[in-house]
Amino acid sequence: NVEKDEESFQRYRERISTLPKEKGWKIFWYLYAYGLEGVMFAQEHFKARPLDVFLWSTPKSGTTWLKAIIFAIMKRTCYTNSTHPILTNNPHEIVPILEEELFGEPPVANVESLPSPRLFATHISYISLPMSVLSSGCRIVYICRNPKDVLVSMWYFVANLRDEAELFSLQEAFDLFSQGKSAFGPYWDHVLGAGLECPERVFFITYEEMKGDTLVHVKRLAKFLGKPFSLEEESKGVAEEIVEMCSFESLSNLEVNKNGSSKTGLKNSVYFREGKVGGWRNHLTTQMIESLDRVTKEKLPSIF
Ligand code: A3P
């Protein structure tokens, strides 16, 4: 209940107003508008349950895609192909981001009353995650992506949020990203937190692996989520149907994702740009590539 928590939000706003500020990605206005209070509120109040499923990611790593896939796996017996909510809703409406939509201002739903298994997504980094997410034993899926593609994808995404006059260069975006000034903290620390701090608890997958063999990983994911495909489903090609329904081509061509908008007025199409691996080759300079590769090799040697 937002009314009841106005006092908390006031407290968060006061704390936020004391934080250092500097020019950054325009996305920060968007996050600070209702994201940071949401993170603080989630930290204080959210109680994860063992049956919850969490999709955890850095922004621009494939969150939209995995939201659709996880929902489709978990709810596959609830809908027929023609009535499936994925066909008429943007994945972000179906699987809410904890800190932005459920504990944001105003929240879109009462977290306590959502039916189990509750499906959530979060971008909060390991050190700021609500304690109960890791202690509850709930299922956690973490997706990350090559930082060079994350940077380019984020740059385009932010360009969509900014007014044209305010566009900033890829060099500026690179500088911020390299200095760890990204939404939800430094990219590399985010991935390290999920990959190294709690490997046994997390289904850890890269965007590149998902693109490489989506079907294999959808089946692995279904097993991890406690919903393996039965022999009958295997023979009917249910996993294949999920892969197809959630593919970039299918999702990006749905009317809701081409022309629809979120409640906050963001166009759904901003979540679908190219959906490819390695697009960074067409954007980054040699110096940018070497610099990002150096940090990645040092911090995440076994992942990329
Ligand atoms: P690009 O900007 O490189 O195209 P997020 O959902 O975490 O915000 O990530 C957005 C990125 O995922 C965008 O990358 C977007 O195009 C891509 N994407 C969205 N839906 C996808 C899908 N179904 N399959 C593959 N990639 C997808």
Side-chain angles (χ1 to χ4, degrees), residues 177-228:
F177 189 82
S178 306
Q179 292 160 20
K181 292 174 185 167
S182 301
F184 302 96
Y187 164 86
W188 295 272
D189 294 351
H190 203 293
V191 179
L192 266 177
L196 294 188
E197 301 289 352
C198 35
E200 72 293 344
R201 295 282 329 285
V202 176
F203 183 96
F204 191 98
I205 186 101
T206 65
Y207 182 90
E208 292 73 17
E209 288 168 330
M210 280 301 289
K211 282 296 265 192
D213 198 337
T214 314
L215 183 60
V216 162
H217 295 299
V218 162
K219 289 184 181 175
R220 287 182 55 230
L221 194 49
K223 233 185 231 171
F224 174 81
L225 294 172
K227 302 268 182 192

Side-chain angles (χ1 to χ4, degrees), residues 58-65 92 145 153 207 211 246-248 251 271-276:
T58 55
K60 303 299 121 202
S61 296
T63 318
T64 314
W65 186 21
H92 295 285
R145 186 182 191 187
S153 182
Y207 182 90
K211 282 296 265 192
C246 300
S247 70
F248 181 84
L251 289 186
Y271 294 104
F272 305 93
R273 191 180 61 91
E274 261 190 8
K276 290 189 180 146

Side-chain angles (χ1 to χ4, degrees), residues 72-271:
I73 290 173
M74 295 297 294
K75 308 279 181 183
R76 66 183 182 267
T77 54
C78 305
Y79 307 103
T80 64
N81 285 355
S82 61
T83 62
H84 207 291
I86 286 178
L87 303 177
T88 47
N89 296 273
N90 178 265
H92 295 285
E93 284 166 48
I94 299 178
V95 181
I97 296 240
L98 191 71
E99 62 277 13
E100 289 176 16
E101 293 169 57
L102 294 173
F103 286 129
E105 207 182 359
V108 293
N110 181 345
V111 203
E112 294 306 321
S113 62
L114 293 174
S116 267
R118 302 181 300 178
L119 310 186
F120 298 120
T122 185
H123 289 317
I124 304 177
S125 63
Y126 175 73
I127 49 163
S128 305
L129 212 55
M131 300 281 275
S132 66
V133 173
L134 294 170
S135 62
S136 65
C138 69
R139 291 187 165 91
I140 304 172
V141 177
Y142 187 87
I143 184 158
C144 61
R145 186 182 191 187
N146 189 305
K148 290 172 286 190
D149 275 334
V150 170
L151 167 63
V152 172
S153 182
M154 181 59 94
W155 181 58
Y156 274 104
F157 181 73
V158 171
N160 274 308
L161 302 181
R162 286 173 173 244
D163 299 329
E164 231 168 87
E166 297 176 302
L167 283 183
F168 75 150
S169 67
L170 183 54
Q171 182 65 48
E172 284 176 87
F174 165 82
D175 290 341
L176 289 170
F177 189 82
S178 306
Q179 292 160 20
K181 292 174 185 167
S182 301
F184 302 96
Y187 164 86
W188 295 272
D189 294 351
H190 203 293
V191 179
L192 266 177
L196 294 188
E197 301 289 352
C198 35
E200 72 293 344
R201 295 282 329 285
V202 176
F203 183 96
F204 191 98
I205 186 101
T206 65
Y207 182 90
E208 292 73 17
E209 288 168 330
M210 280 301 289
K211 282 296 265 192
D213 198 337
T214 314
L215 183 60
V216 162
H217 295 299
V218 162
K219 289 184 181 175
R220 287 182 55 230
L221 194 49
K223 233 185 231 171
F224 174 81
L225 294 172
K227 302 268 182 192
F229 293 100
S230 65
L231 285 177
E232 194 190 343
E233 286 178 314
E234 290 273 0
S235 69
K236 285 186 179 160
V238 175
E240 284 83 349
E241 281 174 10
I242 290 177
V243 171
E244 169 54 26
M245 179 171 67
C246 300
S247 70
F248 181 84
E249 289 66 32
S250 305
L251 289 186
S252 61
N253 281 307
L254 292 171
E255 177 60 21
V256 65
N257 294 326
K258 277 204 289 196
N259 296 314
S261 309
S262 74
K263 290 185 191 76
T264 57
L266 201 61
K267 286 184 188 156
N268 293 337
S269 58
V270 298
Y271 294 104

Side-chain angles (χ1 to χ4, degrees), residues 188 192 196 293 295-304:
W188 295 272
L192 266 177
L196 294 188
D293 282 350
V295 185
T296 305
K297 206 168 157 203
E298 189 188 305
K299 295 215 167 189
L300 306 171
S302 56
I303 301 177
F304 296 108

